[in-house]
Amino acid sequence: GAVVSQHPSRVICKSGTSVKIECRSLDFQATTMFWYRQFPKQSLMLMATSNEGSKATYEQGVEKDKFLINHASLTLSTLTVTSAHPEDSSFYICSASTDRGSNEQFFGPGTRLTVL
Amino acid sequence: QKEVEQNSGPLSVPEGAIASLNCTYSDRGSQSFFWYRQYSGKSPELIMFIYSNGDKEDGRFTAQLNKASQYVSLLIRDSQPSDSATYLCAVTPFSGGYNKLIFGAGTRLAVHP
Protein backbone atom coordinates (compact mmCIF):
# COMPACT_ATOMS: atom_id res chain seq x y z
CA GLY A 1 0.00 0.00 0.00
CA ALA A 2 0.83 3.73 0.03
CA VAL A 3 2.00 3.97 -3.55
CA VAL A 4 2.53 7.33 -5.19
CA SER A 5 3.11 7.69 -8.91
CA GLN A 6 4.43 10.56 -10.97
CA HIS A 7 4.14 11.25 -14.64
CA PRO A 8 6.17 11.81 -16.67
CA SER A 9 9.32 10.31 -15.22
CA ARG A 10 11.48 12.34 -17.54
CA VAL A 11 10.79 15.35 -19.72
CA ILE A 12 12.90 17.50 -21.99
CA CYS A 13 11.46 20.78 -23.18
CA LYS A 14 12.49 23.97 -24.88
CA SER A 15 13.02 27.17 -22.96
CA GLY A 16 9.81 29.18 -22.64
CA THR A 17 7.43 26.25 -22.72
CA SER A 18 5.30 24.99 -19.85
CA VAL A 19 5.52 21.53 -18.37
CA LYS A 20 2.91 19.74 -16.27
CA ILE A 21 3.84 17.02 -13.80
CA GLU A 22 1.19 14.77 -12.27
CA CYS A 23 1.34 13.16 -8.87
CA ARG A 24 -1.16 10.46 -7.93
CA SER A 25 -1.75 8.48 -4.78
CA LEU A 26 -2.78 5.08 -6.13
CA ASP A 27 -4.17 3.25 -3.13
CA PHE A 28 -4.98 5.86 -0.55
CA GLN A 29 -6.52 9.28 -0.25
CA ALA A 30 -3.93 11.98 0.25
CA THR A 31 -5.19 14.91 2.26
CA THR A 32 -1.92 16.69 1.74
CA MET A 33 0.59 16.58 -1.08
CA PHE A 34 4.02 18.13 -1.16
CA TRP A 35 6.25 19.20 -4.02
CA TYR A 36 10.02 19.14 -3.69
CA ARG A 37 12.86 20.08 -5.95
CA GLN A 38 16.31 18.55 -5.79
CA PHE A 39 19.38 19.86 -7.59
CA PRO A 40 22.38 17.55 -8.11
CA LYS A 41 24.17 16.63 -4.90
CA GLN A 42 21.77 18.74 -2.84
CA SER A 43 18.97 17.81 -0.52
CA LEU A 44 15.26 18.00 -1.13
CA MET A 45 13.89 21.51 -0.93
CA LEU A 46 10.20 21.83 -0.20
CA MET A 47 8.54 24.04 -2.77
CA ALA A 48 4.93 23.97 -1.67
CA THR A 49 2.28 22.14 0.28
CA SER A 50 -1.17 21.56 -1.11
CA ASN A 51 -4.41 20.37 0.36
CA GLU A 52 -7.28 19.13 -1.71
CA GLY A 53 -9.60 21.91 -2.72
CA SER A 54 -7.55 24.77 -1.35
CA LYS A 55 -4.71 26.96 -2.53
CA ALA A 56 -1.20 25.71 -2.15
CA THR A 57 1.13 27.14 0.47
CA TYR A 58 4.44 28.08 -1.09
CA GLU A 59 7.77 28.18 0.66
CA GLN A 60 9.71 31.40 0.82
CA GLY A 61 11.47 32.16 -2.44
CA VAL A 62 9.25 29.94 -4.58
CA GLU A 63 7.31 31.88 -7.21
CA LYS A 64 3.69 30.80 -7.11
CA ASP A 65 2.99 32.24 -10.56
CA LYS A 66 5.81 30.20 -12.04
CA PHE A 67 5.08 26.93 -10.26
CA LEU A 68 1.34 26.40 -10.46
CA ILE A 69 -0.03 23.73 -8.19
CA ASN A 70 -3.48 22.24 -8.43
CA HIS A 71 -4.79 19.67 -5.99
CA ALA A 72 -8.07 18.81 -7.64
CA SER A 73 -8.86 15.61 -5.79
CA LEU A 74 -7.68 13.48 -2.91
CA THR A 75 -5.60 11.40 -5.29
CA LEU A 76 -4.20 13.90 -7.76
CA SER A 77 -1.99 16.97 -7.59
CA THR A 78 -0.31 18.67 -10.52
CA LEU A 79 2.68 20.97 -10.75
CA THR A 80 3.01 23.15 -13.83
CA VAL A 81 6.32 24.83 -14.46
CA THR A 82 5.40 27.82 -16.59
CA SER A 83 7.78 29.43 -19.06
CA ALA A 84 10.51 27.02 -18.09
CA HIS A 85 14.15 28.08 -18.33
CA PRO A 86 17.37 26.07 -18.08
CA GLU A 87 17.76 26.99 -14.42
CA ASP A 88 14.48 25.17 -13.72
CA SER A 89 16.12 21.91 -14.78
CA SER A 90 15.96 19.71 -11.72
CA PHE A 91 14.52 16.58 -10.15
CA TYR A 92 10.96 17.25 -9.02
CA ILE A 93 9.53 14.90 -6.43
CA CYS A 94 6.07 14.80 -4.96
CA SER A 95 4.94 13.15 -1.77
CA ALA A 96 1.61 12.49 -0.17
CA SER A 97 0.37 12.03 3.34
CA THR A 98 -2.86 11.26 5.11
CA ASP A 99 -4.30 12.73 8.26
CA ARG A 100 -4.12 9.44 10.12
CA GLY A 101 -1.80 10.73 12.82
CA SER A 102 1.53 9.63 11.41
CA ASN A 103 3.55 12.38 9.77
CA GLU A 104 4.91 9.91 7.25
CA GLN A 105 5.12 11.07 3.66
CA PHE A 106 5.05 8.65 0.77
CA PHE A 107 7.24 9.73 -2.10
CA GLY A 108 6.67 9.45 -5.81
CA PRO A 109 9.50 8.27 -8.06
CA GLY A 110 10.33 11.78 -9.23
CA THR A 111 10.38 13.63 -12.55
CA ARG A 112 13.62 14.65 -14.18
CA LEU A 113 13.08 17.95 -16.01
CA THR A 114 15.62 19.20 -18.51
CA VAL A 115 15.04 22.58 -20.11
CA LEU A 116 17.11 23.25 -23.20
CA GLN B 1 22.17 27.82 11.39
CA LYS B 2 20.53 25.22 9.19
CA GLU B 3 17.39 23.66 10.57
CA VAL B 4 18.60 20.10 10.06
CA GLU B 5 22.30 19.39 9.82
CA GLN B 6 24.11 16.29 8.66
CA ASN B 7 27.70 15.58 7.81
CA SER B 8 27.84 15.26 4.04
CA GLY B 9 30.42 12.48 4.14
CA PRO B 10 31.27 10.31 2.46
CA LEU B 11 31.23 7.90 5.34
CA SER B 12 33.17 4.85 4.29
CA VAL B 13 32.76 1.59 6.20
CA PRO B 14 33.80 -1.98 5.42
CA GLU B 15 31.20 -4.60 4.72
CA GLY B 16 29.86 -6.10 7.92
CA ALA B 17 30.69 -3.09 10.07
CA ILE B 18 28.30 -0.75 11.87
CA ALA B 19 27.60 2.53 10.09
CA SER B 20 26.64 5.44 12.33
CA LEU B 21 24.85 8.41 10.81
CA ASN B 22 24.13 11.54 12.78
CA CYS B 23 21.73 14.45 12.54
CA THR B 24 21.08 17.54 14.63
CA TYR B 25 18.11 19.86 14.43
CA SER B 26 17.49 23.39 15.62
CA ASP B 27 13.75 23.45 16.40
CA ARG B 28 13.45 22.21 19.97
CA GLY B 29 9.74 21.66 19.48
CA SER B 30 10.20 19.21 16.61
CA GLN B 31 7.90 16.27 16.93
CA SER B 32 8.74 13.54 14.45
CA PHE B 33 12.02 12.34 13.03
CA PHE B 34 12.56 10.32 9.90
CA TRP B 35 15.39 8.60 8.15
CA TYR B 36 15.19 8.17 4.39
CA ARG B 37 17.55 6.43 2.02
CA GLN B 38 18.07 7.81 -1.45
CA TYR B 39 19.91 6.07 -4.24
CA SER B 40 21.37 8.21 -6.98
CA GLY B 41 18.68 9.38 -9.39
CA LYS B 42 15.87 7.93 -7.30
CA SER B 43 13.40 9.39 -4.85
CA PRO B 44 13.76 8.87 -1.09
CA GLU B 45 12.48 5.74 0.56
CA LEU B 46 11.56 5.62 4.22
CA ILE B 47 13.77 3.54 6.48
CA MET B 48 12.16 4.35 9.79
CA PHE B 49 10.74 7.06 11.97
CA ILE B 50 10.95 7.81 15.66
CA TYR B 51 8.90 10.02 17.93
CA SER B 52 10.09 9.29 21.45
CA ASN B 53 13.41 9.57 23.19
CA GLY B 54 15.46 6.41 23.14
CA ASP B 55 16.12 3.68 20.64
CA LYS B 56 13.91 2.11 18.03
CA GLU B 57 15.06 -1.00 16.22
CA ASP B 58 13.90 -2.41 12.90
CA GLY B 59 15.97 -5.25 11.53
CA ARG B 60 19.52 -4.04 10.93
CA PHE B 61 18.54 -0.44 11.59
CA THR B 62 18.35 1.38 14.92
CA ALA B 63 17.22 4.98 15.27
CA GLN B 64 18.23 6.87 18.37
CA LEU B 65 16.61 10.09 19.52
CA ASN B 66 17.77 12.49 22.20
CA LYS B 67 15.47 15.49 22.30
CA ALA B 68 17.42 17.22 25.05
CA SER B 69 20.48 17.27 22.82
CA GLN B 70 18.39 17.76 19.65
CA TYR B 71 20.13 14.82 18.10
CA VAL B 72 18.95 11.82 16.12
CA SER B 73 21.07 9.06 14.73
CA LEU B 74 20.78 5.96 12.59
CA LEU B 75 22.85 2.85 13.11
CA ILE B 76 23.14 0.27 10.38
CA ARG B 77 24.44 -3.08 11.56
CA ASP B 78 26.16 -5.60 9.30
CA SER B 79 26.51 -2.98 6.56
CA GLN B 80 26.21 -4.28 3.02
CA PRO B 81 27.40 -2.76 -0.26
CA SER B 82 23.72 -2.37 -1.17
CA ASP B 83 23.41 0.06 1.75
CA SER B 84 25.63 2.50 -0.15
CA ALA B 85 23.39 5.51 -0.68
CA THR B 86 22.66 8.95 0.67
CA TYR B 87 20.82 8.96 3.98
CA LEU B 88 18.50 11.87 4.63
CA CYS B 89 17.37 12.96 8.04
CA ALA B 90 14.01 14.74 8.12
CA VAL B 91 12.23 16.52 10.93
CA THR B 92 8.69 17.72 11.42
CA PRO B 93 9.01 21.16 12.98
CA PHE B 94 6.69 22.26 15.74
CA SER B 95 5.15 25.07 13.74
CA GLY B 96 5.22 23.34 10.36
CA GLY B 97 1.63 22.28 10.02
CA TYR B 98 0.42 20.00 7.29
CA ASN B 99 2.97 17.37 8.37
CA LYS B 100 5.75 19.40 6.77
CA LEU B 101 9.20 17.81 6.63
CA ILE B 102 12.49 19.65 6.76
CA PHE B 103 15.33 17.63 5.24
CA GLY B 104 18.99 17.68 6.00
CA ALA B 105 21.49 17.71 3.16
CA GLY B 106 22.14 14.02 3.59
CA THR B 107 25.14 11.84 4.40
CA ARG B 108 26.64 9.73 1.67
CA LEU B 109 27.47 6.22 2.87
CA ALA B 110 29.88 3.99 1.00
CA VAL B 111 30.13 0.35 2.10
CA HIS B 112 33.13 -1.32 0.54
CA PRO B 113 33.57 -5.12 0.23
mmCIF file of all heavy atoms in Angstrom, chain A residues 4-38:
data_model
loop_
_atom_site.group_PDB
_atom_site.id
_atom_site.type_symbol
_atom_site.label_atom_id
_atom_site.label_comp_id
_atom_site.label_asym_id
_atom_site.label_seq_id
_atom_site.Cartn_x
_atom_site.Cartn_y
_atom_site.Cartn_z
ATOM 1 N N VAL A 4 2.695 6.036 -4.543
ATOM 2 C CA VAL A 4 2.533 7.329 -5.194
ATOM 3 C C VAL A 4 3.217 7.275 -6.551
ATOM 4 O O VAL A 4 4.371 6.827 -6.650
ATOM 5 C CB VAL A 4 3.138 8.468 -4.342
ATOM 6 C CG1 VAL A 4 3.041 9.806 -5.078
ATOM 7 C CG2 VAL A 4 2.436 8.545 -2.998
ATOM 8 N N SER A 5 2.515 7.690 -7.572
ATOM 9 C CA SER A 5 3.107 7.686 -8.909
ATOM 10 C C SER A 5 3.290 9.113 -9.398
ATOM 11 O O SER A 5 2.604 10.038 -8.937
ATOM 12 C CB SER A 5 2.224 6.904 -9.887
ATOM 13 O OG SER A 5 1.021 7.617 -10.153
ATOM 14 N N GLN A 6 4.211 9.278 -10.324
ATOM 15 C CA GLN A 6 4.431 10.561 -10.971
ATOM 16 C C GLN A 6 4.539 10.351 -12.465
ATOM 17 O O GLN A 6 5.083 9.338 -12.931
ATOM 18 C CB GLN A 6 5.742 11.206 -10.484
ATOM 19 C CG GLN A 6 5.597 12.086 -9.271
ATOM 20 C CD GLN A 6 6.887 12.770 -8.887
ATOM 21 O OE1 GLN A 6 7.525 12.393 -7.900
ATOM 22 N NE2 GLN A 6 7.288 13.789 -9.643
ATOM 23 N N HIS A 7 4.048 11.332 -13.194
ATOM 24 C CA HIS A 7 4.137 11.249 -14.643
ATOM 25 C C HIS A 7 4.343 12.644 -15.219
ATOM 26 O O HIS A 7 3.657 13.585 -14.783
ATOM 27 C CB HIS A 7 2.844 10.635 -15.218
ATOM 28 C CG HIS A 7 2.844 10.578 -16.699
ATOM 29 N ND1 HIS A 7 3.500 9.591 -17.411
ATOM 30 C CD2 HIS A 7 2.306 11.402 -17.629
ATOM 31 C CE1 HIS A 7 3.347 9.797 -18.687
ATOM 32 N NE2 HIS A 7 2.616 10.876 -18.854
ATOM 33 N N PRO A 8 5.268 12.827 -16.126
ATOM 34 C CA PRO A 8 6.173 11.813 -16.668
ATOM 35 C C PRO A 8 7.367 11.574 -15.741
ATOM 36 O O PRO A 8 7.572 12.331 -14.799
ATOM 37 C CB PRO A 8 6.618 12.452 -17.983
ATOM 38 C CG PRO A 8 6.607 13.926 -17.690
ATOM 39 C CD PRO A 8 5.444 14.144 -16.758
ATOM 40 N N SER A 9 8.126 10.563 -16.016
ATOM 41 C CA SER A 9 9.321 10.312 -15.217
ATOM 42 C C SER A 9 10.483 11.177 -15.696
ATOM 43 O O SER A 9 11.404 11.485 -14.928
ATOM 44 C CB SER A 9 9.711 8.826 -15.297
ATOM 45 O OG SER A 9 9.947 8.457 -16.646
ATOM 46 N N ARG A 10 10.406 11.534 -16.967
ATOM 47 C CA ARG A 10 11.484 12.344 -17.537
ATOM 48 C C ARG A 10 10.890 13.218 -18.625
ATOM 49 O O ARG A 10 10.052 12.750 -19.402
ATOM 50 C CB ARG A 10 12.554 11.420 -18.108
ATOM 51 C CG ARG A 10 13.816 12.083 -18.577
ATOM 52 C CD ARG A 10 14.775 11.031 -19.109
ATOM 53 N NE ARG A 10 15.217 10.132 -18.044
ATOM 54 C CZ ARG A 10 16.316 10.327 -17.313
ATOM 55 N NH1 ARG A 10 17.068 11.381 -17.506
ATOM 56 N NH2 ARG A 10 16.654 9.460 -16.393
ATOM 57 N N VAL A 11 11.290 14.463 -18.673
ATOM 58 C CA VAL A 11 10.794 15.354 -19.718
ATOM 59 C C VAL A 11 11.890 16.325 -20.120
ATOM 60 O O VAL A 11 12.622 16.844 -19.266
ATOM 61 C CB VAL A 11 9.504 16.081 -19.274
ATOM 62 C CG1 VAL A 11 9.737 16.889 -18.003
ATOM 63 C CG2 VAL A 11 8.950 16.971 -20.373
ATOM 64 N N ILE A 12 11.977 16.519 -21.429
ATOM 65 C CA ILE A 12 12.901 17.498 -21.986
ATOM 66 C C ILE A 12 12.063 18.504 -22.761
ATOM 67 O O ILE A 12 11.217 18.117 -23.570
ATOM 68 C CB ILE A 12 13.931 16.840 -22.918
ATOM 69 C CG1 ILE A 12 14.743 15.791 -22.145
ATOM 70 C CG2 ILE A 12 14.858 17.887 -23.521
ATOM 71 C CD1 ILE A 12 15.668 14.958 -23.028
ATOM 72 N N CYS A 13 12.274 19.777 -22.500
ATOM 73 C CA CYS A 13 11.463 20.778 -23.179
ATOM 74 C C CYS A 13 12.336 21.964 -23.571
ATOM 75 O O CYS A 13 13.470 22.120 -23.106
ATOM 76 C CB CYS A 13 10.301 21.246 -22.300
ATOM 77 S SG CYS A 13 10.817 22.218 -20.875
ATOM 78 N N LYS A 14 11.775 22.778 -24.441
ATOM 79 C CA LYS A 14 12.485 23.975 -24.884
ATOM 80 C C LYS A 14 12.226 25.118 -23.914
ATOM 81 O O LYS A 14 11.163 25.191 -23.267
ATOM 82 C CB LYS A 14 12.028 24.382 -26.280
ATOM 83 C CG LYS A 14 12.430 23.413 -27.372
ATOM 84 C CD LYS A 14 11.967 23.928 -28.730
ATOM 85 C CE LYS A 14 12.391 22.980 -29.842
ATOM 86 N NZ LYS A 14 11.921 23.472 -31.167
ATOM 87 N N SER A 15 13.157 26.005 -23.824
ATOM 88 C CA SER A 15 13.020 27.174 -22.963
ATOM 89 C C SER A 15 11.783 27.982 -23.369
ATOM 90 O O SER A 15 11.508 28.173 -24.560
ATOM 91 C CB SER A 15 14.274 28.050 -23.091
ATOM 92 O OG SER A 15 14.242 29.116 -22.179
ATOM 93 N N GLY A 16 11.003 28.388 -22.375
ATOM 94 C CA GLY A 16 9.810 29.178 -22.639
ATOM 95 C C GLY A 16 8.526 28.383 -22.653
ATOM 96 O O GLY A 16 7.432 28.962 -22.615
ATOM 97 N N THR A 17 8.636 27.080 -22.716
ATOM 98 C CA THR A 17 7.426 26.255 -22.723
ATOM 99 C C THR A 17 7.025 25.908 -21.292
ATOM 100 O O THR A 17 7.783 26.120 -20.339
ATOM 101 C CB THR A 17 7.635 24.964 -23.515
ATOM 102 O OG1 THR A 17 8.700 24.205 -22.906
ATOM 103 C CG2 THR A 17 8.012 25.279 -24.961
ATOM 104 N N SER A 18 5.805 25.394 -21.167
ATOM 105 C CA SER A 18 5.301 24.988 -19.851
ATOM 106 C C SER A 18 5.252 23.470 -19.765
ATOM 107 O O SER A 18 4.997 22.794 -20.760
ATOM 108 C CB SER A 18 3.909 25.575 -19.610
ATOM 109 O OG SER A 18 3.983 26.984 -19.527
ATOM 110 N N VAL A 19 5.484 22.972 -18.594
ATOM 111 C CA VAL A 19 5.518 21.533 -18.372
ATOM 112 C C VAL A 19 4.621 21.188 -17.184
ATOM 113 O O VAL A 19 4.716 21.838 -16.135
ATOM 114 C CB VAL A 19 6.956 21.054 -18.078
ATOM 115 C CG1 VAL A 19 6.973 19.579 -17.704
ATOM 116 C CG2 VAL A 19 7.859 21.324 -19.271
ATOM 117 N N LYS A 20 3.781 20.179 -17.360
ATOM 118 C CA LYS A 20 2.911 19.742 -16.273
ATOM 119 C C LYS A 20 3.358 18.384 -15.767
ATOM 120 O O LYS A 20 3.594 17.465 -16.547
ATOM 121 C CB LYS A 20 1.455 19.651 -16.742
ATOM 122 C CG LYS A 20 0.503 19.193 -15.620
ATOM 123 C CD LYS A 20 -0.921 18.965 -16.124
ATOM 124 C CE LYS A 20 -1.673 20.244 -16.287
ATOM 125 N NZ LYS A 20 -3.113 20.007 -16.568
ATOM 126 N N ILE A 21 3.454 18.273 -14.453
ATOM 127 C CA ILE A 21 3.836 17.019 -13.803
ATOM 128 C C ILE A 21 2.676 16.570 -12.922
ATOM 129 O O ILE A 21 2.137 17.369 -12.148
ATOM 130 C CB ILE A 21 5.105 17.193 -12.944
ATOM 131 C CG1 ILE A 21 6.266 17.715 -13.793
ATOM 132 C CG2 ILE A 21 5.483 15.869 -12.279
ATOM 133 C CD1 ILE A 21 7.467 18.146 -12.969
ATOM 134 N N GLU A 22 2.295 15.309 -13.061
ATOM 135 C CA GLU A 22 1.188 14.775 -12.275
ATOM 136 C C GLU A 22 1.702 13.896 -11.137
ATOM 137 O O GLU A 22 2.664 13.146 -11.300
ATOM 138 C CB GLU A 22 0.262 13.932 -13.150
ATOM 139 C CG GLU A 22 -0.537 14.722 -14.151
ATOM 140 C CD GLU A 22 -1.575 13.852 -14.850
ATOM 141 O OE1 GLU A 22 -1.541 12.613 -14.684
ATOM 142 O OE2 GLU A 22 -2.421 14.418 -15.570
ATOM 143 N N CYS A 23 1.018 13.982 -10.027
ATOM 144 C CA CYS A 23 1.336 13.156 -8.866
ATOM 145 C C CYS A 23 0.047 12.507 -8.392
ATOM 146 O O CYS A 23 -0.942 13.203 -8.134
ATOM 147 C CB CYS A 23 1.923 14.040 -7.759
ATOM 148 S SG CYS A 23 2.268 13.184 -6.214
ATOM 149 N N ARG A 24 0.053 11.182 -8.324
ATOM 150 C CA ARG A 24 -1.156 10.463 -7.932
ATOM 151 C C ARG A 24 -0.886 9.513 -6.771
ATOM 152 O O ARG A 24 0.116 8.811 -6.768
ATOM 153 C CB ARG A 24 -1.692 9.636 -9.099
ATOM 154 C CG ARG A 24 -2.231 10.444 -10.252
ATOM 155 C CD ARG A 24 -2.775 9.550 -11.366
ATOM 156 N NE ARG A 24 -3.181 10.331 -12.522
ATOM 157 C CZ ARG A 24 -4.384 10.847 -12.680
ATOM 158 N NH1 ARG A 24 -5.308 10.664 -11.754
ATOM 159 N NH2 ARG A 24 -4.671 11.557 -13.764
ATOM 160 N N SER A 25 -1.789 9.508 -5.814
ATOM 161 C CA SER A 25 -1.746 8.482 -4.780
ATOM 162 C C SER A 25 -2.650 7.356 -5.281
ATOM 163 O O SER A 25 -3.824 7.568 -5.562
ATOM 164 C CB SER A 25 -2.241 9.026 -3.438
ATOM 165 O OG SER A 25 -3.537 9.571 -3.552
ATOM 166 N N LEU A 26 -2.086 6.160 -5.431
ATOM 167 C CA LEU A 26 -2.782 5.081 -6.132
ATOM 168 C C LEU A 26 -3.709 4.273 -5.230
ATOM 169 O O LEU A 26 -4.710 3.735 -5.696
ATOM 170 C CB LEU A 26 -1.767 4.156 -6.797
ATOM 171 C CG LEU A 26 -0.869 4.808 -7.847
ATOM 172 C CD1 LEU A 26 0.022 3.770 -8.510
ATOM 173 C CD2 LEU A 26 -1.706 5.549 -8.891
ATOM 174 N N ASP A 27 -3.385 4.142 -3.979
ATOM 175 C CA ASP A 27 -4.174 3.246 -3.130
ATOM 176 C C ASP A 27 -4.574 3.875 -1.814
ATOM 177 O O ASP A 27 -4.940 3.163 -0.868
ATOM 178 C CB ASP A 27 -3.409 1.949 -2.887
ATOM 179 C CG ASP A 27 -1.999 2.200 -2.371
ATOM 180 O OD1 ASP A 27 -1.638 3.377 -2.163
ATOM 181 O OD2 ASP A 27 -1.266 1.222 -2.181
ATOM 182 N N PHE A 28 -4.520 5.186 -1.755
ATOM 183 C CA PHE A 28 -4.983 5.863 -0.545
ATOM 184 C C PHE A 28 -5.368 7.286 -0.915
ATOM 185 O O PHE A 28 -4.989 7.798 -1.968
ATOM 186 C CB PHE A 28 -3.909 5.856 0.546
ATOM 187 C CG PHE A 28 -2.685 6.693 0.238
ATOM 188 C CD1 PHE A 28 -2.525 7.945 0.800
ATOM 189 C CD2 PHE A 28 -1.701 6.221 -0.617
ATOM 190 C CE1 PHE A 28 -1.393 8.719 0.528
ATOM 191 C CE2 PHE A 28 -0.570 6.977 -0.908
ATOM 192 C CZ PHE A 28 -0.423 8.226 -0.334
ATOM 193 N N GLN A 29 -6.122 7.901 -0.032
ATOM 194 C CA GLN A 29 -6.517 9.284 -0.249
ATOM 195 C C GLN A 29 -5.537 10.202 0.477
ATOM 196 O O GLN A 29 -5.335 10.076 1.688
ATOM 197 C CB GLN A 29 -7.950 9.510 0.254
ATOM 198 C CG GLN A 29 -8.973 8.765 -0.583
ATOM 199 C CD GLN A 29 -10.396 9.127 -0.199
ATOM 200 O OE1 GLN A 29 -10.681 9.369 0.965
ATOM 201 N NE2 GLN A 29 -11.279 9.172 -1.182
ATOM 202 N N ALA A 30 -4.955 11.094 -0.288
ATOM 203 C CA ALA A 30 -3.928 11.984 0.253
ATOM 204 C C ALA A 30 -4.546 13.325 0.594
ATOM 205 O O ALA A 30 -4.913 14.092 -0.289
ATOM 206 C CB ALA A 30 -2.804 12.153 -0.758
ATOM 207 N N THR A 31 -4.647 13.611 1.864
ATOM 208 C CA THR A 31 -5.192 14.906 2.261
ATOM 209 C C THR A 31 -4.210 16.031 1.965
ATOM 210 O O THR A 31 -4.607 17.161 1.705
ATOM 211 C CB THR A 31 -5.530 14.916 3.763
ATOM 212 O OG1 THR A 31 -4.393 14.427 4.487
ATOM 213 C CG2 THR A 31 -6.714 14.024 4.061
ATOM 214 N N THR A 32 -2.942 15.691 1.996
ATOM 215 C CA THR A 32 -1.918 16.692 1.738
ATOM 216 C C THR A 32 -0.885 16.136 0.775
ATOM 217 O O THR A 32 -0.483 14.979 0.904
ATOM 218 C CB THR A 32 -1.205 17.109 3.045
ATOM 219 O OG1 THR A 32 -2.177 17.488 4.021
ATOM 220 C CG2 THR A 32 -0.262 18.284 2.795
ATOM 221 N N MET A 33 -0.497 16.954 -0.172
ATOM 222 C CA MET A 33 0.588 16.582 -1.084
ATOM 223 C C MET A 33 1.652 17.663 -1.041
ATOM 224 O O MET A 33 1.362 18.841 -0.819
ATOM 225 C CB MET A 33 0.068 16.384 -2.500
ATOM 226 C CG MET A 33 -0.735 15.094 -2.666
ATOM 227 S SD MET A 33 -1.190 14.793 -4.378
ATOM 228 C CE MET A 33 -1.770 13.109 -4.291
ATOM 229 N N PHE A 34 2.867 17.236 -1.242
ATOM 230 C CA PHE A 34 4.018 18.126 -1.163
ATOM 231 C C PHE A 34 4.811 18.044 -2.465
ATOM 232 O O PHE A 34 4.914 16.978 -3.072
ATOM 233 C CB PHE A 34 4.948 17.712 -0.008
ATOM 234 C CG PHE A 34 4.275 17.646 1.334
ATOM 235 C CD1 PHE A 34 3.582 16.507 1.716
ATOM 236 C CD2 PHE A 34 4.335 18.708 2.214
ATOM 237 C CE1 PHE A 34 2.951 16.425 2.956
ATOM 238 C CE2 PHE A 34 3.719 18.641 3.462
ATOM 239 C CZ PHE A 34 3.028 17.506 3.825
ATOM 240 N N TRP A 35 5.379 19.159 -2.843
ATOM 241 C CA TRP A 35 6.253 19.196 -4.017
ATOM 242 C C TRP A 35 7.647 19.646 -3.594
ATOM 243 O O TRP A 35 7.809 20.668 -2.919
ATOM 244 C CB TRP A 35 5.692 20.132 -5.081
ATOM 245 C CG TRP A 35 4.494 19.559 -5.768
ATOM 246 C CD1 TRP A 35 3.189 19.781 -5.485
ATOM 247 C CD2 TRP A 35 4.509 18.633 -6.864
ATOM 248 N NE1 TRP A 35 2.376 19.055 -6.322
ATOM 249 C CE2 TRP A 35 3.167 18.340 -7.191
ATOM 250 C CE3 TRP A 35 5.525 18.018 -7.616
ATOM 251 C CZ2 TRP A 35 2.810 17.473 -8.228
ATOM 252 C CZ3 TRP A 35 5.177 17.162 -8.639
ATOM 253 C CH2 TRP A 35 3.826 16.895 -8.935
ATOM 254 N N TYR A 36 8.628 18.860 -4.000
ATOM 255 C CA TYR A 36 10.018 19.137 -3.685
ATOM 256 C C TYR A 36 10.808 19.297 -4.987
ATOM 257 O O TYR A 36 10.447 18.765 -6.041
ATOM 258 C CB TYR A 36 10.647 17.976 -2.892
ATOM 259 C CG TYR A 36 10.076 17.730 -1.524
ATOM 260 C CD1 TYR A 36 8.956 16.930 -1.351
ATOM 261 C CD2 TYR A 36 10.669 18.266 -0.388
ATOM 262 C CE1 TYR A 36 8.429 16.677 -0.095
ATOM 263 C CE2 TYR A 36 10.161 18.023 0.884
ATOM 264 C CZ TYR A 36 9.044 17.227 1.018
ATOM 265 O OH TYR A 36 8.542 16.978 2.272
ATOM 266 N N ARG A 37 11.919 19.976 -4.844
ATOM 267 C CA ARG A 37 12.861 20.084 -5.954
ATOM 268 C C ARG A 37 14.227 19.697 -5.407
ATOM 269 O O ARG A 37 14.575 20.048 -4.272
ATOM 270 C CB ARG A 37 12.879 21.522 -6.482
ATOM 271 C CG ARG A 37 13.824 21.780 -7.625
ATOM 272 C CD ARG A 37 13.548 23.118 -8.267
ATOM 273 N NE ARG A 37 13.551 24.209 -7.311
ATOM 274 C CZ ARG A 37 13.319 25.482 -7.631
ATOM 275 N NH1 ARG A 37 13.051 25.800 -8.870
ATOM 276 N NH2 ARG A 37 13.347 26.420 -6.708
ATOM 277 N N GLN A 38 14.982 18.978 -6.223
ATOM 278 C CA GLN A 38 16.307 18.549 -5.789
ATOM 279 C C GLN A 38 17.302 18.784 -6.900
ATOM 280 O O GLN A 38 17.196 18.182 -7.975
ATOM 281 C CB GLN A 38 16.305 17.079 -5.377
ATOM 282 C CG GLN A 38 17.622 16.619 -4.760
ATOM 283 C CD GLN A 38 17.560 15.189 -4.279
ATOM 284 O OE1 GLN A 38 16.903 14.350 -4.873
ATOM 285 N NE2 GLN A 38 18.264 14.894 -3.174
#
